[in-house]
Amino acid sequence: MILNFGSINLDLVYRVAHLPKPGETLASTSFARFLGGKGINQSIAAARSGGAIRHIGCLGPDGKWLGEQIAHFGLSLDEITQVDVPTGHAVIFVDDTAENQIVLFGGSNLAFTKNQIEQALNTARRGDWVLLQNETNLVSYIAQEARARGLKVAYSAAPFDANAVRDLLDQINLLALNEGEAAAIAQNIGHHPAELNIDHVLITKGERGAELHSGGEILHQDSVKVEAIDTTGAGDTFLGAFMARFVDGKADEALAFAAGAAALQVTKQGAAAAIPCAEEVEAFLRNA
Ligand code: ATP
C-alpha cells in the first residue's frame, strides 16, 4: 500500500493574446479548469497502474468540483479533509506563442495538521510506503513519523527546494528527481544524488529515459519512442506508475512499465486526463 500525502490543485487556465503587463487589464479569449497538483497526479497514475494507493489531502470549501474529478479517477475521498482555507490553485495565463505565466496559491495544500497525518499513519502497516512531494506543509514531519512506524518513504523533490531536500535526506528510502533537480542537488549539496546515502535514487531524463541507482547498482531504462504532444505531468505519471509496481515487484519491470505509461501520457493533451490505465500500457508495450 502507498499512502500519498499529496497536493490537490485547481488549475485555472486563461488563454490571452499576450501576457499582461503591470497595470494592464486584459480580456481572456478562453478559459478552462483542470484537476492538477503533483500529488494527485501521482496518485492517479499509481491507481490507474493498478497500485493500492490512499490519497491523503485537503480541499477548501470551494473544492467540490475537484472532489468530483478525483472520484471520477477512481480515488477515494475518505481521507481528503475539508479545511476552511481556499483550495490550492494555480492561475495560468497562456499566450499565443504558448508562453505562460503562473501564480500559485498553496491554500488547502498547506493546511495539513499533525492530527490528520497521525490518523492516516496509524492505520498503515509496516512495510507500506509513504509518498511525498514539495507542494504541501509538514513534509519533514510526515517523513519522520512514517519512519518511526517502520514505513518506507519516497520523496519527489519537486518543486525543488534545497532546504527541504536537506531536511529529508536522512528520512527517505527513495528520492525521485528529474535531471534539472539532480543538477540542483549536486550544486546545493555538493554530491551527485546517487552518492547520497539513500536506498534508491530515481532520475528521469525526459526523452532519454530514466535511471535507478540502488546500492551502487544502476538500472537504465530507455524511454519509448512516441510523438510527444504535451509533456506536462510526464514525471508524475512515471513516478506514480513506477511506485505502483515497485512496492511489491521488481525494479526493472517497474521501470519498463513506468516508461510505457509516461510515453503514452505525453501523446495526449493535459496532465491527469492523459494518464493511461494498466491495460493500455501493457497493450502499448506489447506492440512497441
Ligand atoms: P514534467 O515536469 O514535464 O512532468 P519531468 O521533468 O518531471 O516532467 P521527465 O524526466 O521530463 O520528467 O519525464 C519523465 C519520464 O517521462 C521520462 O523518464 C520518460 O520515460 C517519459 N518521457 C518524457 N518525455 C518523453 C518523450 N518526449 N517521449 C517519450 N517518453 C517521454
Side-chain angles (χ1 to χ4, degrees):
M1 177 65 79
I2 304 165
L3 285 77
N4 185 6
F5 293 82
S7 57
I8 306 169
N9 249 28
L10 178 60
D11 288 349
L12 304 166
V13 182
Y14 300 85
R15 300 290 312 204
V16 285
H18 60 264
L19 299 179
K21 298 182 180 59
E24 183 177 8
T25 300
L26 194 61
S28 67
T29 52
S30 74
F31 165 72
R33 59 183 177 172
F34 301 97
L35 169 64
K38 298 191 71 60
I40 200 74
N41 285 344
Q42 292 174 10
S43 283
I44 292 168
R48 302 211 86 194
S49 301
I53 178 111
R54 290 166 52 189
H55 189 95
I56 299 104
C58 302
L59 283 175
D62 52 349
K64 184 165 174 284
W65 183 80
L66 286 180
E68 288 165 8
Q69 297 296 304
I70 292 167
H72 161 81
F73 283 108
L75 289 165
S76 165
L77 300 178
D78 288 355
E79 295 182 275
I80 298 181
T81 305
Q82 166 130 13
V83 294
D84 61 5
V85 291
T87 297
H89 58 267
V91 176
I92 304 168
F93 299 138
V94 184
D95 76 7
D96 288 345
T97 67
E99 186 58 79
N100 64 31
Q101 211 171 51
I102 303 176
V103 176
L104 269 178
F105 178 73
S108 54
N109 292 317
L110 307 180
F112 278 81
T113 64
K114 292 187 173 177
N115 188 31
Q116 176 191 12
I117 291 161
E118 282 158 21
Q119 265 189 18
L121 290 175
N122 287 343
T123 56
R125 301 219 179 109
R126 234 186 151 71
D128 283 351
W129 280 81
V130 163
L131 179 56
L132 301 167
Q133 313 79 27
N134 262 348
E135 289 183 339
T136 59
N137 63 325
L138 294 176
V139 172
S140 159
Y141 177 79
I142 301 170
Q144 271 171 34
E145 291 293 309
R147 293 272 291 220
R149 288 165 173 79
L151 310 178
K152 293 182 182 156
V153 178
Y155 170 57
S156 162
F160 185 76
D161 174 341
N163 289 331
V165 175
R166 236 181 247 115
D167 276 1
L168 281 158
L169 284 181
D170 297 340
Q171 308 289 344
I172 54 180
N173 302 85
L174 186 147
L175 175 63
L177 308 153
N178 65 17
E179 276 188 307
E181 290 148 6
I185 287 204
Q187 198 177 16
N188 283 281
I189 296 177
H191 293 281
H192 184 272
E195 294 163 8
L196 301 170
N197 187 23
I198 298 172
D199 300 344
H200 308 284
V201 176
L202 174 65
I203 303 176
T204 60
K205 304 186 296 183
E207 256 185 293
R208 290 186 299 108
E211 54 194 43
L212 180 70
H213 300 253
S214 308
E217 306 243 310
I218 309 176
L219 285 176
H220 292 276
Q221 176 63 52
D222 287 338
S223 69
V224 185
K225 277 246 159 315
V226 287
E227 195 175 328
I229 304 283
D230 178 3
T231 63
T232 317
D236 293 334
T237 302
F238 192 101
L239 181 59
F242 173 80
M243 290 302 294
R245 300 290 166 119
F246 178 67
V247 294
D248 41 31
K250 290 199 181 130
D252 54 349
E253 287 170 12
L255 284 172
F257 179 83
L264 264 185
Q265 196 266 353
V266 304
T267 62
K268 294 203 181 119
Q269 208 54 254
I275 297 172
C277 66
E279 294 73 31
E280 290 173 276
V281 178
E282 275 150 13
F284 171 68
L285 288 174
R286 271 197 301 276
N287 299 321

